[in-house]
Amino acid sequence: HPDVASSLNNLAAVLEAPEALAEAERHYRNALAMRQRIFTGDDSDTASILNNLAGILVSRQKYAEAAALYAEVLTACEEALPDDHYAVAIYRNNSGECLTKLGRYEEAETLLTKSQKVIEKFFGPNHARTTKGLKRLEALYNAWGKSDKAAEVKGRLAGGSGEVK
């Protein structure tokens, strides 16, 4: 039943502490398998579970598998939702973080900058999601060796402005 899949997803979210990541991953995988048996098409709850599972995989340093899941999420959402939808922006931002960890900096920059504009517009400059996105941009530029851009983003963080130029 879809409610069981939702409950497994919620349980996994509660377990996202470092010592329980394997258990959280197992519950996300079970929730995903259940949703995919129940629903044959793309739906927002399945996309959310895919995103959550990919996030756990990033936490467990399984970056390649996570990147593939994020690609699946983005393909489904970009077809079903407007380009400036906040959920698409969140999924792009999450994917951008993963691609940074894989060293795929140009792809990560595209996703992070595009998503940051939507996140800023939807959530505002002082929201936690805005700050998280800016920290991800800063991490990207530091990893990429672009210290001038990292410093610019750090300045926006210090100034409380999520605006991406």
Side-chain angles (χ1 to χ4, degrees), residues 109-136:
E109 182 182 41
T110 298
L111 290 175
L112 290 171
T113 55
K114 188 172 188 175
S115 65
Q116 189 64 28
K117 290 176 185 177
V118 175
I119 288 169
E120 163 67 18
K121 180 180 173 187
F122 188 82
F123 293 103
N126 299 314
H127 192 275
R129 286 202 184 275
T130 302
T131 300
K132 179 189 270 188
L134 287 171
K135 287 180 179 178
R136 287 173 172 175

Side-chain angles (χ1 to χ4, degrees):
H1 191 277
D3 290 345
V4 176
S6 293
S7 294
L8 285 170
N9 183 55
N10 293 338
L11 175 60
V14 170
L15 294 171
E16 286 191 15
E19 65 276 0
L21 290 177
E23 187 176 359
E25 180 182 339
R26 188 179 82 246
H27 289 306
Y28 280 133
R29 288 186 187 281
N30 288 337
L32 179 61
M34 195 175 297
R35 291 279 318 172
Q36 290 174 330
R37 278 193 309 272
I38 297 167
F39 299 99
T40 56
D42 297 321
D43 69 286
S44 62
D45 287 337
T46 301
S48 177
I49 295 169
L50 276 167
N51 174 70
N52 294 343
L53 174 57
I56 285 292
L57 295 174
V58 168
S59 295
R60 299 194 71 204
Q61 300 178 352
K62 297 178 180 182
Y63 304 125
E65 186 180 357
L69 290 179
Y70 282 131
E72 190 176 334
V73 170
L74 289 174
T75 297
C77 289
E78 287 172 347
E79 291 173 3
L81 297 170
D83 197 50
D84 63 347
H85 193 279
Y86 74 92
V88 175
I90 290 169
Y91 299 152
R92 282 179 180 147
N93 201 268
N94 294 344
S95 180
E97 176 192 36
C98 181
L99 293 175
T100 296
K101 295 189 183 287
L102 284 169
R104 292 165 54 183
Y105 301 134
E106 288 181 19
E107 293 170 85
E109 182 182 41
T110 298
L111 290 175
L112 290 171
T113 55
K114 188 172 188 175
S115 65
Q116 189 64 28
K117 290 176 185 177
V118 175
I119 288 169
E120 163 67 18
K121 180 180 173 187
F122 188 82
F123 293 103
N126 299 314
H127 192 275
R129 286 202 184 275
T130 302
T131 300
K132 179 189 270 188
L134 287 171
K135 287 180 179 178
R136 287 173 172 175
L137 270 169
E138 182 184 15
L140 163 69
Y141 291 132
N142 281 326
W144 201 354
K146 294 190 173 194
S147 56
D148 55 332
K149 286 193 170 194
E152 179 186 328
V153 173
K154 188 173 187 168
R156 287 198 301 258
L157 274 164
S161 170
E163 183 181 344
V164 176
K165 298 177 181 173

